[in-house]
Amino acid sequence: MMKEVNGTLQSTPLKMTELEHRSPTRSRQGSSSSDLRTASGRSLVSTKSLSGSILEPYTENGRQYANDEYYMPNDDAEETRLGVLHQAYLLLLGSQYTTARIPDSIERILDIGTGPGDWALAVAERYPNAEIIATDISAYLQPTIVPPNLVFQIDDAREEWTYKLPFDIIHIRGLTGAFPSWAHVYTQVFKHLKPGGILEVVDMGLIEAAEQAATSPIRIYNEALQSGAQRAGITIGLEHLRKEPVEASGLSVLRSTTRDVPLGTYSLDARMKSVGKMALVAALEGLEATSLRLLTRELSWKLEEVDDICSKVAQEIAQPNCRASLLPCDYRLMAPPVADAKLTLSYPIYAADFDPKNNGFLVVGGGGGEGRSGVGNKITLINTSKKHEISEIVDVELSRDEDSVTSLAVVRSSETAANVLAGINSSNANQQAGNNEHLRSFQLGYPPRRLKTEETEKQGESGDAKAQIETKALGKASLFTPAATAKKETYQRLLRLSRTDNDKGPRLGAIATGLAPAGEIVVFDTAKDSPGPGDVRKRIQLKKGEEATDIDLVQSGEGLCLLAYCTDYDVYVSKVYFNSKAKDSEPLFVHGTPHPDVFSKAGQRPTFRSLRFLTPDLILLVQNLPGRSGAQVLLLDVPDTGELGAVVLRKVLHKAIKSASALATSLIPASNPSQNIQHAIAIAGQDISITVLTLDHSPGSSGPLKFRTHTLLRNVHPLQMTALAFSTFVHPSDPLTTPLQYLKLASASMSSTVIVHTFPLIPHPTPRKQKSSSRYVLQPPGAGEAAQMSFSILVSIIVIALGAFLLQAWTEIRGGTPEYLGAKGWLSQRVHDYIALPYMFDDARPVITSDLPKVEDVKRKVPGAEGVKDSVYNTVESIIDKAEDLKAQTNSKLSLRSLLSQRRASSRTQSEAPATDEDEDDYDDDDDDDDEDEIVLTPNPSSPKHILVRHDGQSLSALTHHDADVLSKHGKTWDELPHEEKKRWKERLISAGHWAVEEGETVLKGVFFSEVGGAIGGVVAGVVGAA
């Protein structure tokens, strides 16, 4: 582990908030099996037999050790030192437990060399939903009371790791000198990290002083320590954190951080001064712990000599001018998302396919074509069982007088061989003679199982292993309709087989022509080793000048398959029956790219490049946009009713991808047919990149679908990619006990290169969290339908609430509702003057704007009223009188706006009423008056005709009177006011909310205005009221 002199400062790989640190209750683990139980009844897990070498501590020179090999002690003093260091790390990292940003949804964490378990305990509290495994070679320092999500294990990281499920985080702190080979540890880490998982390793360098003489005790101590470590076959320091050994294992260094930690309080920074105090305590306590076993065993020092050098080093550190420090180097290492292996062959490759039952075998084919010297035509069987290395098993040499391999597929396989169909066009001479035997069948022998041992693998490299593998051609046939034209060039360009479920049930194949005068698609039965014309189940003749750009098959029911194919602009689906006597049906058009607008400048349409069935009713399409301006993925929902399909999902690929060249898909099934399934999707771009997507959906459900990007692999090959192929995944019976599962993706290119990427698959949900069967996924699915629905509802509520808020604010501004929000106060004075209106019912009281009828009028309008008793009339008259009194009281309290509204209503009522003699007299009397007199006329003489508005210097008030002469003594009418006074009155009325610019000045004509204040205003009010 870390040497105490170095203070073993380590940084952790988990992001944690500051938690109150509580020292857990601890008990020492003895040699009996009963001692291996925690206080809560839980057992400590051991990955090896609990022999005495593990459980019985070693005592040497007064210190206790875990075994006879590891140089650091594991006694009480060491536990105290590690606890101080843990607190120093918390302070150094700002109360965080890691330098990495880790989400709360993290699932599995591994802590190697946990010691007292301080870090693991803190992480278990911080991430209660995560499974934490903490390992060490001894259980002596481990606590007895632990959180339910934390398990301590006795394990030696120098041996092979046996974990069944990968980890999100692997943490190693203070283990410099613990392993003879860090390369082995890094290799094990790489195998057990999830894609994108993080390894964080933190360690201390040796103690350094500001100035060290040749006779400095610190220098002598460091040199002796290094010498003893070298003899023990270990390295103390930071050599294992260099970039070279890390990347040699397949890991990539994401970030490296180096920090100087002072030993003492000489730092000017308050936080580093506190760190320095704790680091000094840990360093002084660790001088003996780090050096005792190395110096006494390897250099034969006496105990007194070790004590003497440790004492002198402590004295030197204590000198004020020493300024000793530790050099911690914090590395955060990230595993590459996908492991890859590369193989370069001797010919350009055009086709590739995995054995459907064994992803350890890949078949590729290609070549230089007919008559090209130097480049042969071949089919190659490749061993892909290893993640970081692929190798040739056997080559099948083909004739150079014929075309290269343009397409191939593995039909079936066994433990000893695989049957392969390949598209190989005959020589040009045979084609012109009408004899193009384009469909070839081969049997490729597999190496015996015994060749998988390490010894026979080496033998295979020398060529002896290949000699034992038998390959043979099974046959060749011509299935296309012979061309009737003079130039008989009809090539087999495409070959696709229906998806197989572990060789269960029949399997159909489909081939399509290329460069033919009239395109053709042929569907055939693959039951025979060499299919011939008698096995053809369907022929589809395309329109003249059309070619199928891609084809695919899927089983849709008992004895029924669906064939999908696309041309440049259209997509068709056709039924194909396994029984050759079944009634044939014409292809059904399900989707097309519409013609461009005649007015568009480009005049081009997107073209379909590839398609695949995901399910019988879901077709995945890859479409290249016009002018190499990009590519997109479409998901087409095809109903079984014969109607047109609908695009239900669309995703535009990365802008660097100007066009797509190949497509591959893989179904990752669940053990239970009712569970959700995930599809892996790979698209090759012209920029030699591969985009990997996932799509989750539930069988039989119409829930929301979403493409999720898993990774973007850039610069995969030197030249254009020509083929993509996923391996077939077979769901294991028990994910908990099954080794790690993988999905492989093979890609080939014109540059003769084959690259196989290996994607680890993750059980979801983890078996620990759900006892029922889990399914494997390439990446955990996103939010479910319920979560998406909840989010949609939440967004809808927010939008509705925001709309209601804005509507309420606007209504307040325009005077439609009382001011609850105070929206008018949000406006500037200029905007307020233009759009704001006072509340239309300012006084919140009823407004009576029409005169009540007289009793006599009621009598005249009621038929037979003369015969009604006088008591009824008296009652009606009493009610009307009370209403008149109520109206008079209300009018006296109305605001100016209400009074003006009442005047307008009264004017309209008079203009519409039939003229009586009395009314005509009134009209004639007022005919010589000005306009304002006409406006204030009311049909009821009891209604006030004239209004006086007065301003007392602070507020506005309104008075009414029937006699204009009385009001004229105290104010001027609107027309009599000078322009400047009118302007001031407008501002006052607008500010008080009694008038708005939109109402116009007409409503103010006939109103008297008076500017009086204080006692004078009171006198005016009294005079007007008395009158």
Side-chain angles (χ1 to χ4, degrees):
M1 277 192 150
M2 260 297 317
K3 46 183 174 179
E4 133 191 270
V5 176
N6 299 331
T8 316
L9 241 135
Q10 314 158 6
S11 74
T12 43
L14 293 175
K15 177 188 175 186
M16 304 232 157
T17 56
E18 183 176 6
L19 299 174
E20 179 183 357
H21 181 74
R22 301 185 296 273
S23 297
T25 304
R26 304 180 185 277
S27 67
R28 303 298 171 229
Q29 309 298 334
S31 58
S32 65
S33 59
S34 61
D35 290 334
L36 282 173
R37 300 193 64 83
T38 66
S40 60
R42 296 183 49 180
S43 297
L44 289 170
V45 180
S46 175
T47 59
K48 55 174 65 179
S49 60
L50 302 179
S51 62
S53 62
I54 295 177
L55 299 179
E56 296 180 3
Y58 284 71
T59 301
E60 187 176 310
N61 293 321
R63 299 299 298 264
Q64 177 178 291
Y65 295 86
N67 53 33
D68 192 41
E69 300 175 6
Y70 187 45
Y71 73 99
M72 292 296 293
N74 71 337
D75 49 20
D76 292 344
E78 179 65 5
E79 177 186 357
T80 301
R81 185 185 74 86
L82 293 175
V84 172
L85 271 180
H86 180 70
Q87 294 300 322
Y89 280 119
L90 285 179
L91 191 58
L92 185 64
L93 297 179
S95 300
Q96 302 295 312
Y97 293 92
T98 177
T99 60
R101 296 182 179 273
I102 305 302
D104 291 337
S105 59
I106 190 170
E107 294 184 338
R108 285 174 56 83
I109 302 168
L110 176 63
D111 185 27
I112 299 295
T114 188
D118 295 311
W119 187 87
L121 285 166
V123 169
E125 289 188 43
R126 172 62 180 82
Y127 296 94
N129 295 324
E131 179 184 10
I132 318 296
I133 297 178
T135 68
D136 204 285
I137 57 175
S138 169
Y140 181 78
L141 297 180
Q142 294 172 2
T144 58
I145 300 177
V146 299
N149 61 326
L150 172 60
V151 176
F152 285 96
Q153 292 185 356
I154 301 175
D155 200 5
D156 191 343
R158 296 175 299 179
E159 300 178 358
E160 194 75 14
W161 297 7
T162 57
Y163 306 106
K164 300 298 183 182
L165 299 175
F167 294 93
D168 299 284
I169 292 287
I170 297 179
H171 173 247
I172 300 177
R173 189 169 81 175
L175 293 188
T176 180
F179 308 118
S181 173
W182 276 90
H184 169 77
V185 175
Y186 288 142
T187 300
Q188 296 300 312
V189 167
F190 183 85
K191 290 181 179 179
H192 292 84
L193 269 180
K194 290 182 180 179
I198 294 175
L199 163 68
E200 190 168 63
V201 183
V202 188
D203 256 313
M204 288 282 185
L206 301 176
I207 297 176
E208 300 288 343
E211 296 181 3
Q212 288 185 359
T215 58
S216 165
I218 293 178
R219 172 171 292 184
I220 295 173
Y221 176 89
N222 288 342
E223 291 176 354
L225 204 60
Q226 294 281 27
S227 179
Q230 185 177 3
R231 292 192 179 187
I234 60 176
T235 301
I236 292 181
L238 304 177
E239 288 295 311
H240 60 290
L241 296 180
R242 291 185 301 108
K243 188 175 182 179
E244 291 77 10
V246 172
E247 293 186 342
S249 65
L251 296 168
S252 59
V253 178
L254 180 65
R255 187 179 64 190
S256 173
T257 305
T258 302
R259 301 179 184 177
D260 290 338
V261 177
L263 292 182
T265 60
Y266 60 83
S267 176
L268 298 179
D269 181 78
R271 182 172 63 91
M272 294 307 297
K273 184 174 292 188
S274 299
V275 172
K277 288 181 182 179
M278 288 184 280
L280 177 61
V281 173
L284 295 178
E285 289 293 326
L287 288 173
E288 180 190 85
T290 307
S291 62
L292 184 58
R293 178 171 262 191
L294 289 176
L295 298 187
T296 55
R297 275 194 175 190
E298 306 301 334
L299 300 184
S300 302
W301 283 30
K302 296 180 180 179
L303 181 60
E304 294 78 10
E305 293 176 324
V306 176
D307 290 340
D308 180 66
I309 189 62
C310 290
S311 176
K312 291 179 179 179
V313 170
Q315 292 176 8
E316 184 176 3
I317 292 174
Q319 296 297 321
N321 60 347
C322 178
R323 292 183 174 268
S325 63
L326 297 171
L327 297 176
C329 186
D330 167 9
Y331 262 70
R332 183 161 66 123
L333 312 175
M334 176 176 284
V338 184
D340 64 85
K342 181 179 179 179
L343 178 66
T344 302
L345 302 178
S346 60
Y347 58 91
I349 304 164
Y350 300 110
D353 195 22
F354 276 99
D355 181 336
K357 297 178 63 175
N358 189 340
N359 62 13
F361 294 110
L362 173 70
V363 181
V364 300
E370 180 181 357
R372 298 185 183 181
S373 61
V375 180
N377 303 316
K378 294 182 180 181
I379 294 177
T380 304
L381 178 64
I382 299 175
N383 180 2
T384 59
S385 59
K386 297 180 180 180
K387 291 192 296 183
H388 303 290
E389 178 186 358
I390 58 176
S391 57
E392 295 180 55
I393 297 176
V394 64
D395 280 339
V396 178
E397 294 279 354
L398 303 175
S399 171
R400 297 194 180 190
D401 295 329
E402 296 183 318
D403 199 5
S404 61
V405 179
T406 58
S407 56
L408 62 78
V410 180
V411 182
R412 66 185 65 87
S413 66
S414 64
E415 292 186 357
T416 59
N419 284 23
V420 178
L421 292 178
I424 303 173
N425 298 292
S426 298
S427 66
N428 188 56
N430 288 338
Q431 290 185 49
Q432 294 302 319
N435 185 27
N436 181 14
E437 296 175 308
H438 50 82
L439 184 62
R440 312 296 175 94
S441 304
F442 299 90
Q443 186 178 77
L444 305 182
Y446 284 167
R449 286 183 174 273
R450 62 185 181 84
L451 288 182
K452 293 184 179 181
T453 63
E454 183 176 346
E455 180 180 354
T456 52
E457 279 184 353
K458 293 180 180 179
Q459 179 187 7
E461 293 176 2
S462 64
D464 296 337
K466 293 184 180 180
Q468 302 181 37
I469 300 174
E470 181 181 2
T471 63
K472 59 182 178 180
L474 299 177
K476 51 187 176 179
S478 176
L479 302 186
F480 291 132
T481 304
T485 59
K487 192 174 183 180
K488 305 180 184 301
E489 289 185 352
T490 301
Y491 298 93
Q492 177 184 319
R493 192 174 70 85
L494 300 174
L495 167 63
R496 196 83 63 220
L497 303 181
S498 60
R499 184 182 300 139
T500 178
D501 185 12
N502 217 12
D503 282 353
K504 295 180 182 178
R507 196 176 190 189
L508 294 182
I511 55 177
T513 60
L515 301 179
E520 185 181 21
I521 298 173
V522 177
V523 184
F524 58 93
D525 192 351
T526 64
K528 296 180 181 178
D529 287 343
S530 179
D535 300 305
V536 173
R537 295 292 177 264
K538 190 180 187 71
R539 294 181 184 273
I540 298 176
Q541 300 294 332
L542 304 183
K543 298 176 183 178
K544 185 177 181 180
E546 276 190 345
E547 286 188 352
T549 56
D550 204 0
I551 54 177
D552 198 22
L553 289 161
V554 66
Q555 188 166 351
S556 179
E558 187 68 27
L560 175 64
C561 245
L562 292 179
L563 167 71
Y565 66 92
C566 60
T567 61
D568 284 341
Y569 306 117
D570 299 322
V571 181
Y572 297 86
V573 173
S574 181
K575 293 181 179 180
V576 183
Y577 295 92
F578 291 101
N579 185 353
S580 60
K581 297 181 181 180
K583 184 179 179 180
D584 200 2
S585 60
E586 291 296 321
L588 179 67
F589 171 79
V590 295
H591 184 67
T593 304
H595 286 275
D597 189 341
V598 293
F599 299 103
S600 65
K601 295 181 179 179
Q604 295 179 318
R605 289 189 281 172
T607 57
F608 294 113
R609 179 63 182 85
S610 303
L611 65 76
R612 292 290 185 277
F613 273 112
L614 298 185
T615 66
D617 56 355
L618 289 177
I619 299 178
L620 187 75
L621 297 165
V622 175
Q623 192 177 49
N624 289 328
L625 302 180
R628 296 177 62 86
S629 59
Q632 61 181 355
V633 185
L634 310 177
L635 186 62
L636 184 67
D637 185 2
V638 181
D640 57 4
T641 58
E643 300 176 356
L644 289 177
V647 175
V648 295
L649 198 59
R650 186 188 308 265
K651 181 179 179 62
V652 178
L653 299 181
H654 191 276
K655 60 182 180 181
I657 302 174
K658 303 304 180 185
S659 64
S661 59
L663 169 68
T665 62
S666 176
L667 170 66
I668 308 176
S671 58
N672 188 340
S674 63
Q675 286 181 313
N676 288 0
I677 58 177
Q678 187 173 93
H679 295 275
I681 303 165
I683 303 122
Q686 115 291 335
D687 61 336
I688 56 179
S689 70
I690 298 178
T691 303
V692 180
L693 309 174
T694 60
L695 177 68
D696 290 88
H697 75 92
S698 176
S701 172
S702 58
L705 300 170
K706 182 179 180 181
F707 290 121
R708 300 179 64 230
T709 302
H710 177 270
T711 187
L712 176 62
L713 306 172
R714 300 179 184 272
N715 301 319
V716 180
H717 289 271
L719 296 177
Q720 182 76 34
M721 279 178 280
T722 54
L724 283 178
F726 270 116
S727 62
T728 302
F729 175 70
V730 180
H731 197 285
S733 57
D734 186 1
L736 186 59
T737 59
T738 304
L740 298 179
Q741 298 294 299
Y742 299 94
L743 184 68
K744 296 179 182 292
L745 173 64
S747 58
S749 75
M750 294 286 295
S751 58
S752 308
T753 52
V754 179
I755 295 180
V756 176
H757 291 87
T758 302
F759 298 85
L761 295 177
I762 306 168
H764 177 80
T766 56
R768 181 185 67 85
K769 294 182 179 180
Q770 182 169 316
K771 296 292 181 68
S772 61
S773 59
S774 298
R775 65 186 178 105
Y776 281 89
V777 294
L778 189 58
Q779 64 178 339
E785 182 177 356
Q788 293 187 25
M789 181 65 69
S790 300
F791 177 76
S792 300
I793 293 174
L794 178 60
V795 172
S796 300
I797 292 174
I798 293 174
V799 171
I800 293 172
L802 181 60
F805 176 82
L806 296 176
L807 180 61
Q808 172 66 24
W810 176 252
T811 308
E812 287 185 15
I813 292 172
R814 299 298 295 172
T817 62
E819 293 193 42
Y820 298 108
L821 303 176
K824 293 180 180 179
W826 306 341
L827 307 176
S828 66
Q829 185 62 41
R830 182 181 181 86
V831 176
H832 181 281
D833 294 344
Y834 275 102
I835 68 173
L837 293 176
Y839 177 39
M840 62 178 61
F841 306 111
D842 199 20
D843 52 5
R845 297 176 185 272
V847 179
I848 301 176
T849 58
S850 62
D851 294 324
L852 294 173
K854 296 184 178 183
V855 177
E856 289 76 9
D857 296 334
V858 176
K859 292 177 182 178
R860 286 198 301 269
K861 293 180 181 179
V862 177
E866 278 70 21
V868 183
K869 293 182 178 181
D870 293 338
S871 59
V872 176
Y873 299 126
N874 294 335
T875 302
V876 173
E877 188 171 9
S878 174
I879 294 173
I880 294 176
D881 289 340
K882 292 180 180 180
E884 290 283 2
D885 293 339
L886 175 61
K887 176 186 173 185
Q889 295 174 8
T890 302
N891 282 340
S892 65
K893 299 178 181 179
L894 292 176
S895 66
L896 174 61
R897 178 175 293 278
S898 300
L899 293 172
L900 294 176
S901 300
Q902 181 180 337
R903 287 202 325 152
R904 288 195 298 270
S906 299
S907 300
R908 288 195 299 269
T909 303
Q910 180 185 3
S911 63
E912 296 171 0
T916 62
D917 294 339
E918 182 181 356
D919 293 336
E920 290 175 358
D921 292 339
D922 290 338
Y923 184 82
D924 293 338
D925 291 339
D926 292 328
D927 189 45
D928 296 333
D929 295 341
D930 55 16
D931 293 340
E932 63 195 42
D933 294 328
E934 294 179 8
I935 293 175
V936 299
L937 287 177
T938 59
N940 191 344
S942 62
S943 298
K945 293 183 178 181
H946 305 286
I947 304 171
L948 172 67
V949 179
R950 65 188 182 88
H951 183 252
D952 60 4
Q954 296 181 348
S955 61
L956 292 176
S957 60
L959 302 173
T960 61
H961 203 277
H962 294 285
D963 193 349
D965 294 335
V966 175
L967 297 180
S968 63
K969 298 177 182 179
H970 305 284
K972 299 178 181 179
T973 63
W974 181 257
D975 291 335
E976 295 173 348
L977 294 175
H979 176 74
E980 291 299 321
E981 289 190 26
K982 286 184 178 181
K983 185 176 180 182
R984 287 199 303 272
W985 277 108
K986 286 181 182 179
E987 293 174 353
R988 293 168 184 168
L989 294 172
I990 292 173
S991 178
H994 293 303
W995 178 78
V997 176
E998 295 87 350
E999 298 178 72
E1001 296 185 15
T1002 304
V1003 299
L1004 300 177
K1005 292 185 177 183
V1007 178
F1008 291 86
F1009 293 85
S1010 173
E1011 290 185 307
V1012 292
I1016 299 177
V1019 172
V1020 172
V1023 171
V1024 174

